[in-house]
Amino acid sequence: MKEEVLELAKKQKIKIYPEVSIKTKDDLSLLYTPGVAELCKIIQEDKNKMYDYTSKRNLVAVVSDGSAVLGLGNIGNKASYPVMEGKSLLFKEFGGVDAIPIIVRSQEAKEIIKTVEQIADSFGAINLEDIGSPKCFEVERKLKEKLDIPVFHDDQHGTAVVVLAALINSLRLIGKGKDIKVVVSGAGAAGIAVAKFLNSYGLENIVICDSKGIISKERENLNWAKKELLEFTNKENLTGNLKDAMKGSDVFIGVSAPKIVSKEMVESMKEDPIIFAMSNPIPEIMPDETKEAGARVVGTGRSDFPNQINNSLAFPGIFRGVLDARATDITKDMKIAASKALADCVGKDLKEDFVIPSMLDKEVHKKVAEAVRKKALEISMLTLSTTKVRRF
Amino acid sequence: MKEEVLELAKKQKIKIYPEVSIKTKDDLSLLYTPGVAELCKIIQEDKNKMYDYTSKRNLVAVVSDGSAVLGLGNIGNKASYPVMEGKSLLFKEFGGVDAIPIIVRSQEAKEIIKTVEQIADSFGAINLEDIGSPKCFEVERKLKEKLDIPVFHDDQHGTAVVVLAALINSLRLIGKGKDIKVVVSGAGAAGIAVAKFLNSYGLENIVICDSKGIISKERENLNWAKKELLEFTNKENLTGNLKDAMKGSDVFIGVSAPKIVSKEMVESMKEDPIIFAMSNPIPEIMPDETKEAGARVVGTGRSDFPNQINNSLAFPGIFRGVLDARATDITKDMKIAASKALADCVGKDLKEDFVIPSMLDKEVHKKVAEAVRKKALEISMLTLSTTKVRRF
């Protein structure tokens, strides 16, 4: 495979191919000077006209400092570039979004924020990627405050949106409601975002574990992002390890480490357990073992097992939707709309091995986009003056 | 024309069209995870491999703060975006370079420098554009020091390279050598760069004027960039206005303001005057008047007169050349090579109305690129350890 990867990498992945071209003197005067001056004057009058008359409307920056690249860790900004390029390919293929990698040299939150703030006017939205936790929360929060375009840390929200979609369908299949106990293993960017998002959806019994066990009031030296989790998770203040957490739970969601869940731990769960073991490439527990231990629905992050729970199902459609709506933010309601649309794509084909659609199915991305666009417009109409979503 | 410009602006000018695409699971694993990890590891080992295995090799950022947009002034970064987009179209059409606009929110030199430094690893070269003088000199100088990729302020050097090309051919036609007196009108980015570049080419008798007259030791309140000019211009310490400067001169180069040169001023020059009146859209003196006043060679910045002296003749080929050579800098020698290649494109067709080729002739850009590439490689071989040009 390596040879093939290297061969493909000699091709230009970020290649500009404009819809117009300059061949004649007339083209020059319409597309460059003196013609462009007309556009400049219009935008000087009304900055929002950038969306009508420039490429900003469809451009997304995929921003990373390379501090937390999936499976590779802190490899620095330059070495992270191929991931951002691959992401840009997915943006184009599945969302029709023109995305370009912007790798930032500093790994300090303050510098990343400042840099993105300085260049943001060039883009219609910002996708943050592979930025370490808990720094990623600060970077995203501050940028959302400062910028008038959507900012989305995909490692967090992309994962959370797809997990909720798979969970909605799994619960529908099994016939359980929101009164379930969910255990999240992993308290990095993805785990924390999943916990927060499921809670915002209405799940109230969530216990989250990191490598040291259950996050509880008794734990010392928790970083601020983990401390914040105590505001809504683990209301019974359970202590102990992952095994203790999983006893009597309905759902296990792993975004943590390979092979840390045993069959016995699955057996200790309530009837019809739902297991999303998404550690990549080796899951927290392999699907065959999970099934043997009595799990009803099993998902992983891998493409060679059923139910691949992968953020690539969410981000292309979400960005397509917000760009089409010219939204200025991606809100919780828009993300829930994306999850529901994703879940609906499965429709009447719903079964244990099919709770989430394939990311290669382009219709899926279109449906996510449409749901997000509609929700963005709905929000902008409902809350004219208070929302950050642009009005029409 | 306005209607047509607006219609064209609805098209995506910065549109990504990758040379590869993701249609199957295999594509996904080769072009995204897990395949890209191979590329990440290679680059982590050797950062220069970015040029072999990522789009950096052909990507240029067109950076502006919108503080000095030609003909429009300080219109801010957002309103300047259409100019940067147009520039990107020229990059693609004439140089095969994938260029994207990056508009920076701050207009402080320090912030612009910091921002570009932070994102520079994403690109193979930086084109600075429409940044006010004298700030542009500081921004460019500091970025050239800090970055290991070429940085080129086109308003300065693009203009200077094309002026020199036109001048080489004009002098060849007339039969004059380097012992000539040149008057430059305009002491902004372009004027200062033209004066410096002609001097570095070996012209020693240069007098430069701004709107207040000849820049001399007697002038008060000169900004630092204008003061620096006194080190090599106006060695006779002439004082007075543009009219005084032009008396007995051989060449007039205008990058200043409309209609500030009279027929009498041209008549006061030496025999066979060369007049490049490049103020746009209205030249310092109109070509018909210039000819009536006895000028031998007349150039303007306009496409509707002969001899259009326009920086678009230079930058696409220069960037193509440095990207192909993987050069880390654009040196004086590389710019002179570009000027000579441009002049050579005219060849045996040289005549008074044809001292510079047309920018719509694609062969011209290829020849400039090849000359710059060769010179870059030559420099890198001659000065192995001291040059900033990357070795092979």
Side-chain angles (χ1 to χ4, degrees), chain A residues 164-178 180 201 251 272 274 276 296-297 336 339-352 354-356:
Chain A
L164 176 58
L167 188 59
I168 287 172
N169 272 344
S170 303
L171 294 173
R172 190 183 295 167
L173 189 70
I174 289 169
K176 287 189 182 178
K178 288 184 179 175
I180 47 170
Y201 180 69
V251 179
D272 294 331
I274 296 166
F276 299 155
R296 274 289 292 278
V297 182
I336 289 176
S339 295
K340 286 180 175 169
L342 259 183
D344 284 346
C345 287
V346 168
K348 58 182 173 31
D349 297 328
L350 180 63
K351 56 180 181 177
E352 284 158 16
F354 190 54
V355 297
I356 195 86

Side-chain angles (χ1 to χ4, degrees), chain B residues 199-347:
Chain B
N199 181 248
S200 79
Y201 179 69
L203 301 187
E204 307 223 322
N205 189 357
I206 299 172
V207 176
I208 185 165
C209 300
D210 62 12
S211 59
K212 296 195 176 106
I214 298 172
I215 293 181
S216 72
K217 295 200 178 77
E218 318 309 318
R219 288 275 301 273
E220 282 167 16
N221 301 322
L222 290 173
N223 72 36
W224 63 267
K226 291 180 182 176
K227 259 187 209 145
E228 264 184 23
L229 290 171
L230 294 171
E231 291 168 20
F232 67 90
T233 67
N234 193 12
K235 287 178 181 165
E236 294 173 26
N237 201 28
L238 297 178
T239 55
N241 56 22
L242 179 60
K243 192 174 173 180
D244 300 315
M246 282 176 70
K247 265 177 212 146
S249 68
D250 300 273
V251 179
F252 168 83
I253 297 169
V255 280
S256 46
K259 304 208 169 186
I260 58 170
V261 173
S262 66
K263 277 162 77 169
E264 291 67 35
M265 286 157 79
V266 175
E267 284 161 359
S268 78
M269 293 170 70
K270 280 225 184 84
E271 213 178 342
D272 294 331
I274 297 166
I275 306 284
F276 299 156
M278 298 179 290
S279 165
N280 240 339
I282 302 171
E284 283 81 356
I285 174 168
M286 295 299 282
D288 52 347
E289 289 183 277
T290 330
K291 285 278 186 181
E292 283 166 28
R296 273 289 293 278
V297 182
V298 178
T300 68
R302 283 168 56 151
S303 60
D304 52 349
F305 293 119
N307 295 330
Q308 187 186 13
I309 299 171
N310 187 301
N311 49 359
S312 302
L313 273 163
F315 74 81
I318 290 176
F319 277 84
R320 179 73 274 142
V322 294
L323 290 171
D324 287 346
R326 299 186 183 178
T328 59
D329 195 10
I330 297 171
T331 66
K332 180 197 79 179
D333 288 344
M334 286 153 73
K335 289 184 284 184
I336 289 177
S339 294
K340 285 181 175 168
L342 259 183
D344 284 348
C345 287
V346 168

Side-chain angles (χ1 to χ4, degrees), chain B residues 347-360:
Chain B
K348 58 181 169 37
D349 297 329
L350 179 63
K351 55 181 181 177
E352 282 158 17
D353 275 357
F354 190 53
V355 297
I356 196 84
S358 160
M359 75 174 97
L360 293 170

